[in-house]
Amino acid sequence: MTLQNAGQAGGGRVVFDTQRSDAGNSELQLDLPINGSKVEFWVAGEFQHPSSDYGDAAIEAFASGASVGRRELMVRIRKDATALSAAERDRFLLAIGKLNDAGQGPFQAFRDTHVDKSRSEAHGRPAFPPWHRAYLLDLERELQKIDFRVTLPYWRFDRPAPTLFAMDFLGMPPPQRAQGDVIHFPHGHALEFWKTDGNDPIERRPRYAISGAPPQQVQGQDNVISQQATMALGATYPEFRWMEIAPHGSAHTSFDGPINSVPTAAKDPLFFMLHANVDRLWAFWQWLNHRTDPNDAASFSLAVPPGQQPPPPRPGNIGHNLTDTMWPWNGSITPPRPTFTPPRGPFPQSPIGSPPGAQPIVRDMIDYQGVRGADALGFDYDDVPFELPAGVVA
């Protein structure tokens, strides 16, 4: 039996191996036992060959030169928002618009999760990257319940993104500040009736020329937001954690409006695309420095970043240790956890697997690709390879 990549030209591509590896090929020969017992093989999307729709990737099986079976599929990964096709863009907008449902849908729970009372769960402490990784994955799985082809695109904020900040995508505010910062989408746009907190529309105004990338200085603030600067922070987790200040914080403050502040940022769908890029930067840093082993202090540590003041005391640093469950998915209302009813329930499963389980812990978010034997979480980025560390056997 011969398995072959058989997708459409320019569509998603797959590779095969007899075991989980980072050295797959577009063709695989298999010997099938006469008794009909199963033979396992491994299949994955080929790096930098993602799908744009279901069915543009496929596996075809041949025996004695004749096709005996074909399975269409999709190499589904998170992409740069400016690289989306019009169809991919519209599917994402329709899904998140339905999730919002003019303020009546499940999106409000995501907005209510990222508020001032939950700040210490997600910010200023070691679990900033893991917590937001879980938060994004929760949202993405809800979007995929609406349209399984959708992934969460990222705003690469160190590059110009004029097609993202356009009326057919995330919109632009009126040209004159006197008219306010409210974005009025054209009739028929998926975000036309976007609401959070009852009746708030999307409000956003850039502090820079939107045709370019945010400059290093935005209204006098040190706005270090380049990928190169992020990777140069250091090869250990305490050093890398500086990225919460910049580029993360700097990207938020390159706009006026709710996106500018922790308690209100999640009202704007741009928040999730901004954080998808923050998570992508962490993923890229993990790959670059081989930091996927949660037991290695260089991959995750409670240590305070050099030159940074420790956060206010929090009993046992709860929520930020490797084996701590994460709020809101753990359902806790016991101090020092937030004492209000968690807006989100148990973590949703995916049709392709159950990880990280109903109550994820911090360590579940670190080896997200499963390169060290953990269960993969089911997402990837278009420019972060899958690579098994030296000495690790799949």
Side-chain angles (χ1 to χ4, degrees):
M1 180 76 69
T2 302
L3 300 178
Q4 290 183 357
N5 168 71
Q8 301 171 12
R13 292 179 57 86
V14 297
V15 291
F16 309 94
D17 207 338
T18 54
Q19 63 180 359
R20 196 163 191 263
S21 77
D22 53 15
N25 295 298
S26 60
E27 184 174 297
L28 179 66
Q29 303 287 335
L30 292 175
D31 292 327
L32 302 186
I34 295 176
N35 65 10
S37 60
K38 294 181 179 180
V39 173
E40 292 186 350
F41 66 94
W42 187 69
V43 60
E46 184 176 352
F47 183 52
Q48 295 185 330
H49 290 278
S51 292
S52 57
D53 201 351
Y54 180 80
D56 69 2
I59 301 171
E60 192 154 10
F62 294 85
S64 301
S67 176
V68 295
R70 178 184 173 89
R71 171 62 62 87
E72 293 186 340
L73 45 86
M74 185 177 191
V75 180
R76 187 183 65 179
I77 60 172
R78 296 176 182 176
K79 298 180 180 180
D80 184 335
T82 64
L84 299 181
S85 67
E88 289 176 301
R89 176 201 66 203
D90 291 346
R91 287 197 296 264
F92 166 69
L93 289 173
L94 184 60
I96 199 167
K98 285 186 175 180
L99 196 68
N100 178 264
D101 192 19
Q104 302 301 308
F107 181 83
Q108 184 65 39
F110 287 95
R111 182 272 177 274
D112 292 341
T113 295
H114 197 278
V115 293
D116 195 53
K117 290 180 179 179
S118 61
R119 185 192 298 254
S120 61
E121 296 291 327
H123 289 271
R125 290 174 169 82
F128 166 76
W131 188 93
H132 282 86
R133 178 167 283 177
Y135 186 42
L136 296 180
L137 184 58
D138 186 4
L139 177 80
E140 186 173 66
R141 289 186 177 180
E142 289 298 324
L143 295 176
Q144 288 167 354
K145 290 178 183 178
I146 297 171
D147 188 333
F148 70 92
R149 298 169 294 178
V150 168
T151 57
L152 188 59
Y154 61 86
W155 168 40
R156 182 158 177 176
F157 38 64
D158 61 337
R159 292 180 175 178
T163 58
L164 173 61
F165 299 110
M167 290 312 298
D168 57 2
F169 205 156
L170 285 194
M172 278 292 293
Q176 301 298 321
R177 181 173 293 273
Q179 294 177 272
D181 298 339
V182 176
I183 297 172
H184 297 283
F185 291 97
H187 182 62
H189 193 285
L191 306 184
E192 179 182 5
F193 302 109
W194 184 273
K195 289 182 174 61
T196 53
D197 301 352
N199 57 5
D200 294 341
I202 296 174
E203 300 178 56
R204 184 192 324 119
R205 178 172 293 277
R207 293 181 171 184
Y208 64 97
I210 206 69
S211 59
Q216 293 297 304
Q217 292 288 329
V218 175
Q219 299 220 346
Q221 299 178 48
D222 186 13
N223 208 66
V224 182
I225 61 169
S226 71
Q227 177 163 313
Q228 291 76 12
T230 306
M231 295 306 108
L233 287 172
T236 67
Y237 193 76
E239 295 169 311
F240 178 73
R241 275 187 54 212
W242 271 107
M243 64 97 71
E244 183 177 356
I245 299 172
H248 160 257
S250 303
H252 276 282
T253 57
S254 62
F255 287 87
D256 288 322
I259 190 73
N260 191 290
S261 177
V262 170
T264 57
K267 294 171 61 174
D268 190 334
L270 176 62
F271 167 92
F272 297 93
M273 302 171 75
L274 183 162
H275 268 276
N277 192 52
V278 170
D279 186 71
R280 168 189 155 271
L281 289 174
W282 183 29
F284 193 89
W285 177 87
Q286 289 180 298
W287 167 78
L288 182 68
N289 296 286
H290 307 290
R291 301 302 187 207
T292 53
D293 182 359
N295 298 314
D296 182 356
S299 298
F300 183 85
S301 173
L302 299 179
V304 176
Q308 188 173 324
Q309 294 296 316
R314 182 175 172 86
N317 212 35
I318 191 168
H320 296 269
N321 302 285
L322 273 175
T323 58
D324 287 348
T325 59
M326 292 190 288
W327 185 95
W329 306 283
N330 62 5
S332 177
I333 56 172
T334 303
R337 302 288 197 174
T339 56
F340 63 97
T341 301
R344 294 291 294 163
F347 205 87
Q349 290 191 4
S350 165
I352 63 173
S354 60
Q359 294 191 352
I361 61 175
V362 172
R363 73 176 297 133
D364 292 336
M365 297 297 119
I366 296 174
D367 185 10
Y368 75 99
Q369 291 179 317
V371 297
R372 293 184 178 273
D375 291 324
L377 296 181
F379 72 92
D380 269 294
Y381 292 98
D382 54 6
D383 63 351
V384 182
F386 174 87
E387 183 179 31
L388 291 175
V392 173
V393 179

